[in-house]
Every structure is written in structure tokens, then in C-alpha cells.
Amino acid sequence: MKLRAEPSAELNFSVAVEWPEEFNAEYALRIQHAVAEAVVDGLIASHNTNPYRGCHVRLIGFRWDSIGGSEAAVARATSKAIELLREQAHWVFSDGHYRVYESSTD
């Protein structure tokens, strides 16, 4: 599992890998969802008072073990990768520039 995070105005997730040939379209989508859910859980619901919501996370590396691979295993690997990303990346906290305000004079 290899993830890249880049600054963004909102939390985004994308996939830049080819899934193993043994995956049919449905299973590839299920694995993609397992990764995306673990990314959101790890960045938004982390034990930090400041959620990491201003980044675009891209899946750029993926290895599959046909014996021990599963959605749960992928979710655990993603959670660990996000944990390392939170702890080792050089994060800069936003001062609120991501907010959009509208005014109405009706």
C-alpha cells in the first residue's frame, strides 16, 4: 500500500493503480471502497482534535496477496499507512481558508 497526500481545498481520494487481473469490476470497487473508508476514518476520525481534511489522498501503490488478501486486510493496511502519514508527514494546519461563506440581504 502506497499513498500520496497533497494539499487540497477539501478531502479527496483517487486511485492511480491497476487492480490485479483476478479482480472483477465489483471486487475492485469493494477494495477501492475499503481503502477510501480507511482513509476517511484515519484522517477525519483520528484521535486528534484537528481532522486532516484539506488533502487529496491518492492510492499510488497496491500489492495483493491472493492467499491472505481480503477487504479487511486492505482496510488494516490502509489504516496503518494513514497512521504513518499522520505521524511522519510535514503537516501545516489551515487557518480556515477552506470555508465558504455566503451573505444574503433579502
Side-chain angles (χ1 to χ4, degrees), residues 19-42:
W19 299 115
E21 289 181 13
E22 63 195 78
F23 285 16
N24 63 26
E26 179 185 340
Y27 198 68
L29 186 59
R30 289 172 59 171
I31 294 296
Q32 180 174 329
H33 287 170
V35 174
E37 290 166 4
V39 166
V40 171
D41 287 348

Side-chain angles (χ1 to χ4, degrees), residues 41-57:
D41 287 348
L43 294 177
I44 300 296
S46 66
H47 299 288
N48 190 325
T49 58
N50 299 306
Y52 299 83
R53 59 183 171 236
C55 59
H56 177 182
V57 178

Side-chain angles (χ1 to χ4, degrees), residues 1 3 34-36 38-39 59 73-83:
M1 178 78 50
L3 301 169
V35 174
V39 166
L59 177 62
V74 167
R76 281 192 305 275
T78 305
S79 294
K80 184 61 177 173
I82 290 295
E83 179 183 324

